[in-house]
Amino acid sequence: MRTAITVERWTPLSIASVALAVAVLIGLAFGPLVLGANAVDELTTLFIYVILAVMWNALAGYGGLVSVGQQAFFGLGAYAAVRLADFGVGVYPALVLGALLVGLVSLPISAFMLRLKAGEFAIGMWVVAELAHLLVNLDSLVQGETGTSLIALNAYAAETRHALTYWVALGAMTALLGTVFALLRSRVGAAIQAIRDNEEAADAVGVRVLRTKRIVFVLAAFGAGMAGALWLATAISFQPKTYFSVQWTAYMIFMVLVGGLGTFEGAILGAVIFFAIEAWFGSAGVWYLVGLGATALVFALFLPRGLWGVLESRTGWRLLPVGYRLRFSDGGSPLPHGRTASVPVHAGGSTSQG
């Protein structure tokens, strides 16, 4: 019997999912008006976790750049916000400008780091984080490990401060999610994934490897910097050893491994799961961290595709369509599980950069 092949991206399920996501984001915008202070703070924390997970997933899951030093940009984002506020910049504009400065600083860093491969890149990023930590400690404003505070936040009443931080976090999360989604659906997104799969082959077909890797590297740095600045706005105090701790990258890795490395939905799911685990077991101290490490190890060994990756392979669900896929049908009826395969190519059918 004849087999029909259909190339698809949008499906009724994905259209409904995107519409629901937009409705949820609109509803969340009214959060501070209807929720209590504790719920507002908890949701702000969740937004920051989503940013961290999506940014690390874009870098490692899609770009193949596994970093254990993203805490460098997280800490620099918080530090830049403190510095800008001390210079007289408005506290909330300072959060965004601080993240932009981190993105700018990541450009010269990328010139060196992106020439490293695999484990060399991962360790090199950890070295960058340690170096950034040491340099920040030299600033007299920070006073070494004693740290400082974002004193300008005291100009706002507590309720106003929590609401403004919530809205900035929600806006940043929405903008970054939209940016990553649009990037991955573009020719650059196809090039990023081609480099991840086989850098030499991608270069051979015309992909501008270094430039493409730099785009995702800078975006991930900016996102981590934004998350660090937002965390500062929730905590107020800035202590370098806290913000430059490798545990931030460990959290990112955990969220992405559990949710699904290299899947857009998986990073979001992983952030929600991590948020719930922290809420329930965060008070367990060192055993909480041991549990996170053991869970991440189990997923890496036995469920390398994460929860969403397994669910997607069994059901064929794709809520947020990043790439294309082929649907094979027999006589007009889809074969079991849709017999689908994701094909991360540009609409023009090319992964090359013009």
Side-chain angles (χ1 to χ4, degrees):
M1 188 175 290
R2 184 178 180 182
T3 300
I5 302 176
T6 304
V7 180
E8 64 179 20
R9 171 174 279 183
W10 289 101
T11 64
L13 176 61
S14 63
I15 292 172
S17 300
V18 171
L20 178 61
V22 171
V24 168
L25 289 173
I26 293 174
L28 287 172
F30 296 95
L33 305 179
V34 296
L35 299 174
N38 185 62
V40 168
D41 289 345
E42 291 295 323
L43 282 173
T44 302
T45 299
L46 175 59
F47 300 157
I48 295 172
Y49 288 161
V50 170
I51 291 173
L52 289 173
V54 170
M55 290 297 101
W56 197 84
N57 188 48
L59 182 69
Y62 285 103
L65 297 168
V66 179
S67 168
V68 294
Q70 291 305 100
Q71 68 270 18
F73 304 122
F74 183 87
L76 287 174
Y79 168 70
V82 167
R83 252 296 164 206
L84 289 170
D86 185 65
F87 287 146
V89 178
V91 61
Y92 285 101
L95 302 182
V96 180
L97 289 174
L100 288 172
L101 284 176
V102 170
L104 187 62
V105 167
S106 72
L107 276 171
I109 294 175
S110 70
F112 298 97
M113 299 310 302
L114 294 181
R115 299 184 184 279
L116 303 178
K117 307 292 184 183
E120 293 177 347
F121 174 81
I123 300 302
M125 285 304 304
W126 178 78
V127 173
V128 168
E130 291 301 303
L131 179 60
H133 183 183
L134 292 173
L135 291 175
V136 167
N137 275 349
L138 296 177
D139 190 339
S140 59
L141 175 66
V142 177
Q143 306 175 69
E145 293 298 348
T146 301
T148 184
S149 299
L150 193 58
I151 301 173
L153 280 172
N154 294 329
Y156 297 87
E159 184 176 349
T160 301
R161 183 176 72 242
H162 293 172
L164 288 174
T165 304
Y166 173 97
W167 279 318
V168 174
L170 176 62
M173 180 190 72
T174 302
L176 288 167
L177 282 172
T179 299
V180 173
F181 185 66
L183 180 68
L184 292 175
R185 288 166 58 90
S186 69
R187 295 183 66 178
V188 173
I192 289 169
Q193 295 170 78
I195 293 169
R196 173 198 63 192
D197 296 337
N198 191 317
E199 184 172 323
E200 289 73 20
D203 183 58
V205 297
V207 173
R208 298 181 183 176
V209 172
L210 190 58
R211 191 184 74 170
T212 303
K213 289 165 68 174
R214 182 173 289 118
I215 290 172
V216 70
F217 182 88
V218 172
L219 176 62
F222 167 76
M226 189 74 241
L230 288 167
W231 193 267
L232 173 67
T234 64
I236 300 180
S237 63
F238 174 76
Q239 289 181 302
K241 65 181 179 182
T242 298
Y243 285 81
F244 287 97
S245 171
V246 73
Q247 82 174 25
W248 290 107
T249 296
Y251 290 165
M252 298 179 213
I253 295 172
F254 176 86
M255 290 185 280
V256 175
L257 281 180
V258 170
L261 182 67
T263 62
F264 193 87
E265 301 91 338
I268 300 172
L269 175 62
V272 173
I273 291 173
F274 175 72
F275 173 77
I277 291 174
E278 186 179 54
W280 294 332
F281 304 109
S283 60
V286 67
W287 287 109
Y288 158 70
L289 297 176
V290 171
L292 286 181
T295 302
L297 182 61
V298 168
F299 270 83
L301 291 174
F302 302 107
L303 286 173
R305 298 191 62 190
L307 293 176
W308 186 260
V310 172
L311 183 63
E312 185 180 68
S313 65
R314 292 183 178 180
T315 64
W317 291 352
R318 295 176 71 238
L319 304 184
L320 299 169
V322 171
Y324 295 97
R325 66 178 178 180
L326 301 179
R327 180 176 292 275
F328 300 85
S329 59
D330 198 1
S333 301
L335 296 174
H337 301 300
R339 283 280 304 279
T340 60
S342 296
V343 184
V345 297
H346 179 253
S350 171
T351 59
S352 63
Q353 295 286 298

